[in-house]
Structures are given as C-alpha cells and as structure tokens.
Amino acid sequence: MEAQLNSTLRKILLVLSCFMLAIGNCGGPIIMRLYFVKGGKRIWLSSWLETGGWPITFIPLTISYFHRRKTEGPNTKLIQMKCPVFIATAVIGLLTGLDDYLYAYGFARLPVSTATIIVATHLGFTAFFAFLLVKQKFTAYSVNAIVLLSVGSGVLAMHTSSDRPKGESTKLYVLGFIMTLAAAALYGLVLPMVELMYIKAKQAITYTLLLEINLVMCFFATVFCTVGMLVNRDFQAMPREAKAYELGEAKYYVVVTWNAIIWQFFFLGVIGVIFCASSLLSAIIIASLLPVTGAIAVVAFDEKFPPEKGVALFLSLWGFVSYFYGAIKHKRLKEEIEDHKINQSQATEMSPIVAP
C-alpha cells in the first residue's frame, strides 16, 4: 500500500478510510459518554481506551508488509521508521496521552453535544501553533474562523447552567468545560508538531510510515495513561465498577472493548484519508460530522439542546467553512504560482539564443 498503489486500490482504501473515520469520529464520543452515563467513573481508564487499541494497527501493517514484499522482493524492510522520527513520535505520543486525559475528563462532566463544540476550537489553536512552529501565515479566513470559534465557545461559557447534566455540580461542570478547552488547545499544538516532524523527517511519507507513526504514538499515549491508571488503582476498581454498572457486568466489558476499537477506527481513518487524499479532506470530514455527533447524543442521551447551543454550533460550522475555504483558495493559488514558474522556465529553455 505504498506510493505505487494503483488507482482502484487507492479509491477502495479512501472509501474504507472515510467510513472508518466517520464511525470513529461519531462513535468515539458517544460510546465514551455512554460509559460515564451508565455508571462509569474511571477517567484514567476512559483516557487509556482512546489509544489502548493500538495493537489493531498491526493488522494493516502486516497487510502492507506482504503487499510491499510482492513488489520489492525478500529485501523488503520490516520497519521504515528512522530513529529521529521514532523519538519525535514518542514525545508526541506522551502529549497525546495527556490530551486523552483532558478529553476524557471533559466528556465525563459535559454533554456530548456541548463537548464536541468546545473541542472544535482546536482549529483556532492549530492555526496559532502552526504559525509559531511551521511558519504558516494567518489569512483573513483563518482569523475569521478563530473569532467565530472563540465567540461560539463564549456563548456556551455564558450559559453553563442551561444544559448541565442532572446531579452535576456547577463547579464540576465548569471544570469539565475548562479541561475540554485545554484538550482542544493541546490537540491544536500536537497537529503542527506532527506536521513539523514530517518536514524534518527527511524520508518519504508512505502509508506504512504513517501506520508506524500511529502505532508508536498510540503506544506511548497508552503508556502515559497506564501510569495514571496504576496510581489511581483503576485496574483493581474495574471488577467492582463492572458489577455495579447499570447495563450489567457483561455489557460493561462490551462498552469498554468497543470504546478502544472505535477510537482506533478514528486514527486509522485519518491516516488513510491523509495518504489517499489530503489532511484538509480529513479535517473537512471531521468538521462536517460535528452536527451528526451532536444529534446522535441528543437522541441517545436525551441531552438538552437550548438555543445558545444551536448558535454556538452554527458559529463553529461557519468558522470551519471559512477556514477550509481559505485553505483551499490558498492551495489553488500556490499551485497556480508553481505552474506559472514551470511555464516560464520551459519558455526560457526553448527560447533561441541570439548571438551578440
């Protein structure tokens, strides 16, 4: 599944990746909230499950290896990742582990429809950190997106009591809001760090390398959360929590298992879309599914959806559209400039040399 993938296989992989991304993007927050709504209380466990399904990545890695072996022969490298990329990925993985905890804490306290809108502000943080790390320039569209996303979060912050879950104190709700916003900010830092790693990698970015990066990143994130679980004694608490779970002991383990699987669908879906299309398309798919996730949560958990939440959702979607329109326009302009340079170069080479 490398750069030599033929057109048909690439299209199949793209469709499959979009499908997995949709399942992970919508199903991940829903099943995480289901764990908490029905009696789950272990935040470190929930954060561990976000990346704990990392061994699933060995499946596409194995398929990729045997596909490459057919074309490259017995000398095919088993591992493509070089040491500098491994170290950078490990560091990013530890940050991802911290982000998992912040994200899980937010979803333990907030309705899904609220938390997903707050998480959407990562786009503004991504633009800011991308400016610092990879010198990505601000445009009128990106600034407009940041303002809209900030206003949307502000609208939610000013009406914190309108959709607070029953039995949730104002203090815990506000803390959940802050932790979710912190998760969005940290995720906004992680994405430009990954982009910077790609730039500094000095090796071809293939589908196999992306899978290896995902494997290492999720592994170190899981190690980080495992330490938290050991300190908090979550492993010992799981059997007791399972027995008291509202859906029953057996379904407790079903929810926990599928939690890990569905989140891996998200990561593998993102990787596939980036490889077969672009990171922009993956971001557009994630943004377009934002209202779908909120709608599922409203139906599944009977969450409140007051007018201010609708306003915040509208502003978030408007911010996404503004950002992506600007990104697409910038990309086309860049391509036009490069094409113009190539045409000028060809014209110069073909022009006759006139003797003095």
Side-chain angles (χ1 to χ4, degrees):
M1 294 182 181
E2 304 300 314
Q4 293 83 13
L5 263 175
N6 62 47
S7 180
T8 303
L9 279 177
R10 189 178 287 267
K11 287 177 182 177
I12 292 172
L13 180 59
L14 178 59
V15 172
L16 182 62
S17 298
C18 289
F19 180 70
M20 288 193 295
L21 178 55
I23 291 176
N25 192 63
C26 295
I30 297 297
I31 199 165
M32 176 183 282
R33 183 60 182 166
L34 176 65
Y35 164 78
F36 290 114
V37 167
K38 297 302 178 180
K41 300 185 184 302
R42 319 307 296 188
I43 294 175
W44 276 111
L45 168 62
S46 190
S47 61
W48 187 92
L49 293 171
E50 290 179 58
T51 53
W54 59 269
I56 294 173
T57 309
F58 280 117
I59 298 172
L61 268 174
T62 303
I63 296 171
S64 174
Y65 172 75
F66 283 109
H67 183 275
R68 286 184 294 119
R69 191 178 172 85
K70 280 184 180 179
T71 55
E72 298 175 16
N75 295 325
T76 304
K77 287 185 178 180
L78 182 63
I79 300 172
Q80 291 194 344
M81 182 182 290
K82 295 180 180 178
C83 188
V85 176
F86 175 82
I87 294 171
T89 305
V91 172
I92 293 172
L94 294 173
L95 288 175
T96 302
L98 175 59
D99 191 59
D100 288 345
Y101 176 78
L102 297 172
Y103 189 86
Y105 192 99
F107 273 80
R109 307 301 180 197
L110 305 178
V112 174
S113 51
T114 300
T116 51
I117 295 173
I118 300 171
V119 170
T121 60
H122 82 267
L123 188 66
F125 292 110
T126 300
F128 173 74
F129 287 119
F131 172 75
L132 296 178
L133 295 179
V134 294
K135 310 304 179 186
Q136 182 174 305
K137 295 181 180 179
F138 282 106
T139 65
Y141 299 102
S142 60
V143 172
N144 183 51
I146 292 169
V147 171
L148 289 168
L149 291 166
S150 301
V151 172
S153 295
V155 170
L156 286 178
M158 289 187 292
H159 298 83
T160 53
S161 61
S162 61
D163 71 340
R164 190 170 71 246
K166 186 178 280 187
E168 189 82 72
S169 68
T170 303
K171 180 182 177 181
L172 287 176
Y173 183 92
V174 172
L175 186 58
F177 191 100
I178 294 170
M179 295 288 259
T180 308
L181 192 61
L186 185 55
Y187 190 59
L189 170 63
V190 166
L191 291 178
M193 286 182 70
V194 172
E195 186 176 351
L196 181 63
M197 179 182 66
Y198 288 166
I199 294 171
K200 302 289 186 180
K202 295 180 180 178
Q203 66 177 112
I205 304 299
T206 63
Y207 184 63
T208 298
L209 181 60
L210 289 175
L211 287 172
E212 290 175 356
I213 288 171
N214 177 72
L215 181 70
V216 173
M217 185 181 70
C218 288
F219 172 77
F220 278 94
T222 305
V223 168
F224 180 90
C225 295
T226 301
V227 174
M229 286 185 69
L230 290 171
V231 172
N232 203 44
R233 299 192 175 184
D234 280 8
F235 288 109
Q236 295 92 322
M238 283 181 69
R240 297 193 302 270
E241 188 174 72
K243 289 178 181 178
Y245 200 61
E246 288 182 27
L247 298 178
E249 187 174 357
K251 288 184 179 178
Y252 171 85
Y253 291 108
V254 170
V255 169
V256 166
T257 302
W258 276 102
N259 208 325
I261 294 172
I262 288 175
W263 279 116
Q264 280 306 301
F265 276 16
F266 173 80
F267 289 116
L268 293 175
V270 168
I271 287 171
V273 173
I274 290 174
F275 178 72
C276 295
S278 66
S279 57
L280 182 61
L281 178 60
S282 68
I284 290 173
I285 293 171
I286 292 170
S288 63
L289 291 171
L290 178 65
V292 177
T293 307
I296 294 173
V298 169
V299 174
F301 305 124
D302 196 26
E303 293 183 356
K304 297 177 182 177
F305 201 87
E308 56 269 14
K309 192 180 289 187
V311 171
L313 177 60
F314 173 75
L315 291 172
S316 296
L317 291 174
W318 186 5
F320 273 120
V321 170
S322 175
Y323 183 87
F324 295 137
Y325 177 77
I328 292 169
K329 191 173 181 180
H330 176 73
K331 185 179 180 182
R332 287 178 178 173
L333 180 63
K334 192 175 179 180
E335 288 174 352
E336 288 176 4
I337 292 173
E338 288 178 356
D339 289 342
H340 181 67
K341 286 181 178 178
I342 292 171
N343 292 334
Q344 273 192 328
S345 176
Q346 290 176 344
T348 303
E349 290 175 0
M350 293 175 65
S351 60
I353 300 174
V354 180

PDB file of all heavy atoms in Angstrom, residues 158-179:
ATOM      1  N   MET A 158     -21.149  31.357  28.782  1.00  0.00           N
ATOM      2  CA  MET A 158     -22.055  32.278  29.470  1.00  0.00           C
ATOM      3  C   MET A 158     -23.378  31.625  29.854  1.00  0.00           C
ATOM      4  O   MET A 158     -24.177  32.212  30.578  1.00  0.00           O
ATOM      5  CB  MET A 158     -22.316  33.511  28.591  1.00  0.00           C
ATOM      6  CG  MET A 158     -21.114  34.440  28.482  1.00  0.00           C
ATOM      7  SD  MET A 158     -21.493  35.982  27.618  1.00  0.00           S
ATOM      8  CE  MET A 158     -21.796  35.399  25.954  1.00  0.00           C
ATOM      9  N   HIS A 159     -23.624  30.410  29.355  1.00  0.00           N
ATOM     10  CA  HIS A 159     -24.881  29.712  29.666  1.00  0.00           C
ATOM     11  C   HIS A 159     -24.580  28.296  30.171  1.00  0.00           C
ATOM     12  O   HIS A 159     -25.133  27.316  29.698  1.00  0.00           O
ATOM     13  CB  HIS A 159     -25.789  29.644  28.428  1.00  0.00           C
ATOM     14  CG  HIS A 159     -26.213  30.990  27.923  1.00  0.00           C
ATOM     15  ND1 HIS A 159     -25.419  31.744  27.088  1.00  0.00           N
ATOM     16  CD2 HIS A 159     -27.342  31.726  28.149  1.00  0.00           C
ATOM     17  CE1 HIS A 159     -26.040  32.876  26.797  1.00  0.00           C
ATOM     18  NE2 HIS A 159     -27.206  32.897  27.435  1.00  0.00           N
ATOM     19  N   THR A 160     -23.664  28.219  31.138  1.00  0.00           N
ATOM     20  CA  THR A 160     -23.209  26.913  31.607  1.00  0.00           C
ATOM     21  C   THR A 160     -24.275  26.107  32.340  1.00  0.00           C
ATOM     22  O   THR A 160     -24.179  24.890  32.428  1.00  0.00           O
ATOM     23  CB  THR A 160     -21.999  27.077  32.547  1.00  0.00           C
ATOM     24  OG1 THR A 160     -22.336  27.998  33.586  1.00  0.00           O
ATOM     25  CG2 THR A 160     -20.789  27.587  31.789  1.00  0.00           C
ATOM     26  N   SER A 161     -25.282  26.787  32.860  1.00  0.00           N
ATOM     27  CA  SER A 161     -26.289  26.075  33.651  1.00  0.00           C
ATOM     28  C   SER A 161     -27.428  25.511  32.813  1.00  0.00           C
ATOM     29  O   SER A 161     -28.210  24.697  33.294  1.00  0.00           O
ATOM     30  CB  SER A 161     -26.872  27.008  34.721  1.00  0.00           C
ATOM     31  OG  SER A 161     -27.502  28.124  34.108  1.00  0.00           O
ATOM     32  N   SER A 162     -27.512  25.917  31.546  1.00  0.00           N
ATOM     33  CA  SER A 162     -28.681  25.546  30.735  1.00  0.00           C
ATOM     34  C   SER A 162     -28.697  24.072  30.327  1.00  0.00           C
ATOM     35  O   SER A 162     -29.772  23.504  30.128  1.00  0.00           O
ATOM     36  CB  SER A 162     -28.749  26.433  29.484  1.00  0.00           C
ATOM     37  OG  SER A 162     -27.595  26.259  28.698  1.00  0.00           O
ATOM     38  N   ASP A 163     -27.546  23.444  30.195  1.00  0.00           N
ATOM     39  CA  ASP A 163     -27.533  22.036  29.769  1.00  0.00           C
ATOM     40  C   ASP A 163     -26.729  21.148  30.713  1.00  0.00           C
ATOM     41  O   ASP A 163     -26.277  20.075  30.334  1.00  0.00           O
ATOM     42  CB  ASP A 163     -26.976  21.918  28.340  1.00  0.00           C
ATOM     43  CG  ASP A 163     -25.483  22.199  28.263  1.00  0.00           C
ATOM     44  OD1 ASP A 163     -24.976  22.848  29.199  1.00  0.00           O
ATOM     45  OD2 ASP A 163     -24.846  21.779  27.288  1.00  0.00           O
ATOM     46  N   ARG A 164     -26.559  21.617  31.955  1.00  0.00           N
ATOM     47  CA  ARG A 164     -25.795  20.832  32.928  1.00  0.00           C
ATOM     48  C   ARG A 164     -26.537  19.530  33.229  1.00  0.00           C
ATOM     49  O   ARG A 164     -27.736  19.541  33.529  1.00  0.00           O
ATOM     50  CB  ARG A 164     -25.598  21.631  34.215  1.00  0.00           C
ATOM     51  CG  ARG A 164     -24.621  20.985  35.182  1.00  0.00           C
ATOM     52  CD  ARG A 164     -24.246  21.891  36.333  1.00  0.00           C
ATOM     53  NE  ARG A 164     -25.360  22.074  37.261  1.00  0.00           N
ATOM     54  CZ  ARG A 164     -25.983  23.229  37.474  1.00  0.00           C
ATOM     55  NH1 ARG A 164     -25.606  24.310  36.818  1.00  0.00           N
ATOM     56  NH2 ARG A 164     -26.978  23.325  38.328  1.00  0.00           N
ATOM     57  N   PRO A 165     -25.833  18.382  33.132  1.00  0.00           N
ATOM     58  CA  PRO A 165     -26.481  17.092  33.418  1.00  0.00           C
ATOM     59  C   PRO A 165     -27.051  17.041  34.826  1.00  0.00           C
ATOM     60  O   PRO A 165     -26.534  17.686  35.745  1.00  0.00           O
ATOM     61  CB  PRO A 165     -25.335  16.081  33.250  1.00  0.00           C
ATOM     62  CG  PRO A 165     -24.350  16.763  32.374  1.00  0.00           C
ATOM     63  CD  PRO A 165     -24.440  18.216  32.723  1.00  0.00           C
ATOM     64  N   LYS A 166     -28.106  16.278  35.006  1.00  0.00           N
ATOM     65  CA  LYS A 166     -28.757  16.161  36.304  1.00  0.00           C
ATOM     66  C   LYS A 166     -27.773  15.569  37.321  1.00  0.00           C
ATOM     67  O   LYS A 166     -27.087  14.578  37.049  1.00  0.00           O
ATOM     68  CB  LYS A 166     -29.976  15.247  36.189  1.00  0.00           C
ATOM     69  CG  LYS A 166     -30.813  15.179  37.471  1.00  0.00           C
ATOM     70  CD  LYS A 166     -32.031  14.287  37.286  1.00  0.00           C
ATOM     71  CE  LYS A 166     -33.132  15.034  36.556  1.00  0.00           C
ATOM     72  NZ  LYS A 166     -34.403  14.229  36.523  1.00  0.00           N
ATOM     73  N   GLY A 167     -27.689  16.209  38.485  1.00  0.00           N
ATOM     74  CA  GLY A 167     -26.794  15.742  39.543  1.00  0.00           C
ATOM     75  C   GLY A 167     -25.380  16.272  39.436  1.00  0.00           C
ATOM     76  O   GLY A 167     -24.553  16.010  40.310  1.00  0.00           O
ATOM     77  N   GLU A 168     -25.080  17.024  38.388  1.00  0.00           N
ATOM     78  CA  GLU A 168     -23.733  17.577  38.182  1.00  0.00           C
ATOM     79  C   GLU A 168     -23.654  18.953  38.826  1.00  0.00           C
ATOM     80  O   GLU A 168     -24.497  19.815  38.583  1.00  0.00           O
ATOM     81  CB  GLU A 168     -23.444  17.702  36.685  1.00  0.00           C
ATOM     82  CG  GLU A 168     -22.006  18.056  36.353  1.00  0.00           C
ATOM     83  CD  GLU A 168     -21.109  16.839  36.359  1.00  0.00           C
ATOM     84  OE1 GLU A 168     -21.216  16.017  35.437  1.00  0.00           O
ATOM     85  OE2 GLU A 168     -20.321  16.707  37.300  1.00  0.00           O
ATOM     86  N   SER A 169     -22.659  19.180  39.682  1.00  0.00           N
ATOM     87  CA  SER A 169     -22.496  20.488  40.324  1.00  0.00           C
ATOM     88  C   SER A 169     -21.947  21.494  39.327  1.00  0.00           C
ATOM     89  O   SER A 169     -21.296  21.131  38.339  1.00  0.00           O
ATOM     90  CB  SER A 169     -21.551  20.377  41.522  1.00  0.00           C
ATOM     91  OG  SER A 169     -20.233  20.087  41.094  1.00  0.00           O
ATOM     92  N   THR A 170     -22.208  22.759  39.591  1.00  0.00           N
ATOM     93  CA  THR A 170     -21.711  23.826  38.715  1.00  0.00           C
ATOM     94  C   THR A 170     -20.184  23.824  38.664  1.00  0.00           C
ATOM     95  O   THR A 170     -19.581  24.048  37.610  1.00  0.00           O
ATOM     96  CB  THR A 170     -22.207  25.202  39.212  1.00  0.00           C
ATOM     97  OG1 THR A 170     -23.634  25.199  39.264  1.00  0.00           O
ATOM     98  CG2 THR A 170     -21.743  26.321  38.290  1.00  0.00           C
ATOM     99  N   LYS A 171     -19.561  23.547  39.828  1.00  0.00           N
ATOM    100  CA  LYS A 171     -18.100  23.528  39.904  1.00  0.00           C
ATOM    101  C   LYS A 171     -17.512  22.464  38.974  1.00  0.00           C
ATOM    102  O   LYS A 171     -16.575  22.741  38.211  1.00  0.00           O
ATOM    103  CB  LYS A 171     -17.667  23.270  41.341  1.00  0.00           C
ATOM    104  CG  LYS A 171     -16.161  23.237  41.541  1.00  0.00           C
ATOM    105  CD  LYS A 171     -15.799  22.929  42.987  1.00  0.00           C
ATOM    106  CE  LYS A 171     -14.287  22.837  43.155  1.00  0.00           C
ATOM    107  NZ  LYS A 171     -13.916  22.513  44.572  1.00  0.00           N
ATOM    108  N   LEU A 172     -18.056  21.245  39.038  1.00  0.00           N
ATOM    109  CA  LEU A 172     -17.548  20.162  38.190  1.00  0.00           C
ATOM    110  C   LEU A 172     -17.834  20.423  36.717  1.00  0.00           C
ATOM    111  O   LEU A 172     -17.032  20.096  35.842  1.00  0.00           O
ATOM    112  CB  LEU A 172     -18.162  18.827  38.615  1.00  0.00           C
ATOM    113  CG  LEU A 172     -17.653  18.235  39.937  1.00  0.00           C
ATOM    114  CD1 LEU A 172     -18.411  16.967  40.286  1.00  0.00           C
ATOM    115  CD2 LEU A 172     -16.149  17.954  39.864  1.00  0.00           C
ATOM    116  N   TYR A 173     -18.990  21.026  36.430  1.00  0.00           N
ATOM    117  CA  TYR A 173     -19.350  21.340  35.044  1.00  0.00           C
ATOM    118  C   TYR A 173     -18.358  22.350  34.461  1.00  0.00           C
ATOM    119  O   TYR A 173     -17.860  22.176  33.345  1.00  0.00           O
ATOM    120  CB  TYR A 173     -20.769  21.896  34.982  1.00  0.00           C
ATOM    121  CG  TYR A 173     -21.264  22.176  33.577  1.00  0.00           C
ATOM    122  CD1 TYR A 173     -21.962  21.210  32.863  1.00  0.00           C
ATOM    123  CD2 TYR A 173     -21.019  23.398  32.956  1.00  0.00           C
ATOM    124  CE1 TYR A 173     -22.414  21.458  31.571  1.00  0.00           C
ATOM    125  CE2 TYR A 173     -21.451  23.652  31.674  1.00  0.00           C
ATOM    126  CZ  TYR A 173     -22.152  22.683  30.988  1.00  0.00           C
ATOM    127  OH  TYR A 173     -22.589  22.944  29.713  1.00  0.00           O
ATOM    128  N   VAL A 174     -18.081  23.408  35.232  1.00  0.00           N
ATOM    129  CA  VAL A 174     -17.139  24.445  34.777  1.00  0.00           C
ATOM    130  C   VAL A 174     -15.740  23.857  34.613  1.00  0.00           C
ATOM    131  O   VAL A 174     -15.029  24.165  33.649  1.00  0.00           O
ATOM    132  CB  VAL A 174     -17.113  25.632  35.768  1.00  0.00           C
ATOM    133  CG1 VAL A 174     -16.002  26.616  35.407  1.00  0.00           C
ATOM    134  CG2 VAL A 174     -18.460  26.357  35.767  1.00  0.00           C
ATOM    135  N   LEU A 175     -15.347  22.987  35.557  1.00  0.00           N
ATOM    136  CA  LEU A 175     -14.036  22.343  35.454  1.00  0.00           C
ATOM    137  C   LEU A 175     -13.976  21.461  34.197  1.00  0.00           C
ATOM    138  O   LEU A 175     -12.946  21.438  33.503  1.00  0.00           O
ATOM    139  CB  LEU A 175     -13.774  21.495  36.702  1.00  0.00           C
ATOM    140  CG  LEU A 175     -12.382  20.856  36.821  1.00  0.00           C
ATOM    141  CD1 LEU A 175     -11.293  21.925  36.776  1.00  0.00           C
ATOM    142  CD2 LEU A 175     -12.264  20.040  38.102  1.00  0.00           C
ATOM    143  N   GLY A 176     -15.069  20.760  33.892  1.00  0.00           N
ATOM    144  CA  GLY A 176     -15.135  19.961  32.671  1.00  0.00           C
ATOM    145  C   GLY A 176     -15.001  20.824  31.428  1.00  0.00           C
ATOM    146  O   GLY A 176     -14.329  20.445  30.456  1.00  0.00           O
ATOM    147  N   PHE A 177     -15.628  22.001  31.469  1.00  0.00           N
ATOM    148  CA  PHE A 177     -15.534  22.962  30.353  1.00  0.00           C
ATOM    149  C   PHE A 177     -14.082  23.386  30.147  1.00  0.00           C
ATOM    150  O   PHE A 177     -13.566  23.391  29.022  1.00  0.00           O
ATOM    151  CB  PHE A 177     -16.408  24.182  30.660  1.00  0.00           C
ATOM    152  CG  PHE A 177     -16.607  25.122  29.505  1.00  0.00           C
ATOM    153  CD1 PHE A 177     -17.774  25.094  28.761  1.00  0.00           C
ATOM    154  CD2 PHE A 177     -15.618  26.044  29.163  1.00  0.00           C
ATOM    155  CE1 PHE A 177     -17.957  25.972  27.692  1.00  0.00           C
ATOM    156  CE2 PHE A 177     -15.782  26.905  28.101  1.00  0.00           C
ATOM    157  CZ  PHE A 177     -16.964  26.877  27.357  1.00  0.00           C
ATOM    158  N   ILE A 178     -13.409  23.739  31.252  1.00  0.00           N
ATOM    159  CA  ILE A 178     -12.016  24.200  31.175  1.00  0.00           C
ATOM    160  C   ILE A 178     -11.096  23.084  30.676  1.00  0.00           C
ATOM    161  O   ILE A 178     -10.213  23.314  29.843  1.00  0.00           O
ATOM    162  CB  ILE A 178     -11.551  24.705  32.560  1.00  0.00           C
ATOM    163  CG1 ILE A 178     -12.323  25.967  32.956  1.00  0.00           C
ATOM    164  CG2 ILE A 178     -10.049  24.987  32.556  1.00  0.00           C
ATOM    165  CD1 ILE A 178     -12.100  26.399  34.386  1.00  0.00           C
ATOM    166  N   MET A 179     -11.296  21.873  31.180  1.00  0.00           N
ATOM    167  CA  MET A 179     -10.450  20.734  30.780  1.00  0.00           C
ATOM    168  C   MET A 179     -10.651  20.398  29.297  1.00  0.00           C
ATOM    169  O   MET A 179      -9.690  20.058  28.596  1.00  0.00           O
ATOM    170  CB  MET A 179     -10.767  19.515  31.639  1.00  0.00           C
ATOM    171  CG  MET A 179     -10.423  19.688  33.107  1.00  0.00           C
ATOM    172  SD  MET A 179      -8.646  19.671  33.397  1.00  0.00           S
ATOM    173  CE  MET A 179      -8.413  18.017  33.996  1.00  0.00           C
TER     174      MET A 179
END
